[in-house]
Structures are given as structure tokens and as C-alpha cells.
Amino acid sequence: MIVVVTGGAGFIGSHLSEALLAAGAIVHVIDNLSSGYRANIPSGAVLHETDIRSPEARSLIAGIRPEAVYHLAAQADVQRSLADPAEDASVNVKGTLNMLKASSEAGVRKFVFASTSAVYGNVAKDVVSEREKAEPMSFYGLSKRTAEQYIRIYSHLYGLDYTILRYGNVYGPRQTPKGEGGVVAVFLDRLRRAVPPTVHGDGEQTRDFVYVKDIVAANLAAFARGARETLNVGTGRATSVNELLRLLEQCRGAPIACRHAPARAGDIRHSRLDPRRARRVLRWESVYDTAAGIAETYASTLPSSR
Ligand code: NAD
């Protein structure tokens, strides 16, 4: 099988590329290295260093004729989307459109899209299912939501099959402190630099932290299943920031001194995704509990600190 992974030099895309290679696929990565790194790309994958908005990226897909396009390349930083909404929209909407056009023209069998729980915005309920109205609260959430709509209409008009995966807060090795929801990466970066991590508010706010290998497994399952579906990919469990710190302390074998800062305005108190539809449709389930995922992440980030 020949596949294209856009954003394959990034955190999640590099793990996905690795898994696809291990499954025997020929992997072409399209990435402009704006937030990803050449060193992240597993050996065996072919890097095409170009922008997803470019005619060159379209010609590449026409030439490669992949069976699947995993579209992960994005402007994935919420704060940057607020500072420069036009660039966020350009990458996430125009870039996705360019990839859709190329995929449709090349006869791609499946377009798998990396969406986000940020499309839901500030939902009053603490468990969010796909039926919840998507009312994004950031330009990043809006550009991802808009890209989803383009995918659906594109599919309706031109017959391109797709699966949209709405990820929870993903964490794991190679995540940088930038990007979406990377509190685990932020804490680990602080620990590496011997700077106390900052906890906003009382630390009892919760999120659905999902390990990157579970996200990869959902992407692999989406090649054959989930036709024209939009699915939450999370654990369904709520983990608080304090609980994360406790798990990191276990890995470190010593207490972690924190700074406390006021809660951030607009921060959601509790959020977790309802993953039941993905379980049924993809026959996928998150298999990493938070302790196991954090332990692997810690070991890869701070290997010699014990
Ligand atoms: P990342 O920043 O590590 O990876 C994004 C990759 O896309 C980078 O390698 C970057 O160089 C590339 N890229 C960006 N703009 C590009 C462009 N114009 N042309 C070509 N390549 C470009 O981010 P990540 O955390 O690995 O996120 C991957 C995907 O998953 C994104 O679509 C993101 O929105 C989505 N997502 C991430 C999370 C999370 O918690 N990390 C949660 C939900 C959704």
C-alpha cells in the first residue's frame, strides 16, 4: 500500500508514519518543516519538503497516486491562531482544500483527517459526543471545523471517502511544548530545564489525555473502516492536571515543586470525549492507561534523570 502522510515530520504524523512503515506501507511525507523536524521522519519514509497549499504538493499526490492520504499537516497552535487568524485559516482551510482536490483527482480511496475536540468549544457537559453542536471558541477550532465541512461537501460532490477523527489532548514522545494542548510536553520541558512547572488554578481541571500510540491505531483502523464518519478519538476518561503531576512524580521518584498561577480566563473546567462511536465503527479502543502513557513519555524525554 502507498500512502501520503501530510505533517509526517510533526509529533503525531511521525508516529503514524512509523506505524505505517511497520505495517509494510510505502510512506511519502509532505511537510514544510514549519513546526516539524527532519529528524522525526522515520528512515524508510520519503520526505517531500513542500507546503500543502502549493501546486507542487498537488502534483506530488498526482504522481504518487496513494491509496490513502492521512492529512495531519496543520497550524496546530491555538495561541498562534488567535495572533494570526489569516495564516491559521490559510494553512488549515486552503491547505486542506488543496489536499482534497489532489486526493480526489488521484483516485485516493480514503482521506483521513486530523481534527480536534477544539471544534466543540466550551461545552457545558463534561462528556462530549459527536452529536454535540460544534461551536468553536478559537480560530484554530473554527479552521478545523471549516476544513471538516469542506471534506464532507467534497465527498458529497466528488465521491471521495473520508474519516474525520476528532482527537482529545494527545501526548507522547516527540511532542514539543508548542502546539495544541501540550501540557504534558510543557511540564516535561520544564523538568528537563529544572524550572518548576506552573499550574493554573487549583489543578483539578480535567481533560481527556490520549496517548499518541492510541491515536495512531485509530488512524490505521480508519483506512478500512469509518466511511464518511466523524469520530471522537479519546479515552473517555477525565485526568486532572494534579493527577498528571502525581504520575510524573512517580516516574521521577521525587516530588515536583510547582508554581501556582491564577486560572486562565476562558479555560474549560472539565472535558472528555465520548469514544463509544469510534469503538463501534472503527473497532478501536484506547489501550494505554494514563500511567503507562506518561511512563513511556517520561522515559523517552528524560532518559537519564533517575
Ligand atoms: P505538529 O505541529 O507537531 O505537526 C504538524 C506538522 O505539519 C509539522 O510537521 C509541520 O511542519 C507541518 N506543517 C504545518 N504547516 C504546514 C504546511 N503549510 N505545509 C506542509 N506542512 C505543514 O502537530 P501535532 O501535534 O503532531 O498535530 C498533528 C495534527 O493533529 C494537526 O492537524 C493537529 O491539528 C491535530 N491535533 C493535534 C492534537 C494534539 O494534542 N497534539 C489534538 C487534536 C488534533
Side-chain angles (χ1 to χ4, degrees):
M1 176 166 81
I2 303 177
V3 301
V4 163
V5 179
T6 74
F11 159 49
I12 302 170
S14 62
H15 284 275
L16 176 60
S17 299
E18 229 167 61
L20 285 161
L21 284 167
I26 296 169
V27 178
H28 291 266
V29 167
I30 297 180
D31 199 302
N32 68 355
L33 305 182
S34 54
S35 62
Y37 301 93
R38 196 180 295 276
N40 280 351
I41 296 176
S43 63
V46 185
L47 170 65
H48 305 275
E49 193 180 332
T50 188
D51 196 297
I52 50 165
R53 294 165 287 185
S54 65
E56 189 192 343
R58 233 173 36 233
S59 317
L60 274 168
I61 292 181
I64 295 166
R65 301 193 74 77
E67 280 184 72
V69 169
Y70 291 92
H71 180 38
L72 284 82
Q75 190 305 106
D77 185 329
V78 176
Q79 294 311 318
R80 276 192 62 191
S81 84
L82 300 178
D84 192 350
E87 176 64 7
D88 176 82
S90 173
V91 176
N92 293 355
V93 180
K94 274 177 81 178
T96 300
L97 255 174
N98 203 35
M99 293 297 89
L100 279 171
K101 184 167 165 48
S103 302
S104 177
E105 286 170 359
V108 164
R109 278 176 53 196
K110 192 62 171 284
F111 189 88
V112 183
F113 180 60
S115 191
T116 166
S117 55
V119 299
Y120 293 114
N122 211 339
V123 179
K125 297 175 197 157
D126 69 348
V127 189
V128 183
S129 87
E130 296 86 350
R131 287 186 304 279
E132 202 62 50
K133 199 162 171 217
E135 286 188 296
M137 297 292 287
S138 67
F139 296 122
Y140 167 69
L142 177 61
S143 63
K144 283 288 184 174
R145 170 72 179 146
T146 308
E148 288 187 351
Q149 299 287 52
Y150 272 103
I151 294 167
R152 289 190 194 100
I153 296 173
Y154 223 93
S155 173
H156 180 68
L157 293 177
Y158 306 113
L160 179 67
D161 191 9
Y162 70 85
T163 306
I164 292 168
L165 301 175
R166 289 177 173 166
Y167 308 164
N169 288 56
V170 190
Y171 69 94
R174 297 202 283 272
Q175 187 174 30
T176 67
K178 300 171 288 184
E180 199 194 323
V183 62
V184 175
V186 171
F187 283 179
L188 284 169
D189 178 61
R190 290 281 171 97
L191 294 179
R192 200 173 44 77
R193 294 188 290 117
V195 177
T198 303
V199 175
H200 292 271
D202 63 4
E204 287 304 305
Q205 62 273 36
T206 62
R207 295 289 179 273
D208 191 329
F209 291 101
V210 55
Y211 191 49
V212 66
K213 288 186 183 171
D214 280 331
I215 293 290
V216 165
N219 273 277
L220 297 183
F223 174 66
R225 304 192 188 105
R228 294 182 168 79
E229 289 275 353
T230 298
L231 302 166
N232 285 341
V233 185
T235 63
R237 290 189 305 272
T239 305
S240 70
V241 171
N242 290 335
E243 175 67 12
L244 279 183
L245 280 166
R246 273 194 296 277
L247 293 171
L248 288 170
E249 281 177 337
Q250 274 170 26
C251 298
R252 192 176 157 99
I256 295 172
C258 293
R259 284 204 191 107
H260 285 270
R264 283 183 298 204
D267 259 6
I268 302 168
R269 183 74 177 155
H270 299 292
S271 98
R272 68 190 159 102
L273 293 173
D274 180 347
R276 283 177 298 181
R277 192 169 175 85
R279 269 186 214 147
R280 186 160 48 76
V281 172
L282 296 179
R283 284 177 240 153
W284 163 90
E285 191 151 17
S286 77
V287 294
Y288 278 82
D289 66 25
T290 317
I294 291 289
E296 273 198 20
T297 309
Y298 186 93
S300 78
T301 315
L302 295 157
S304 56
S305 64
R306 295 193 75 173

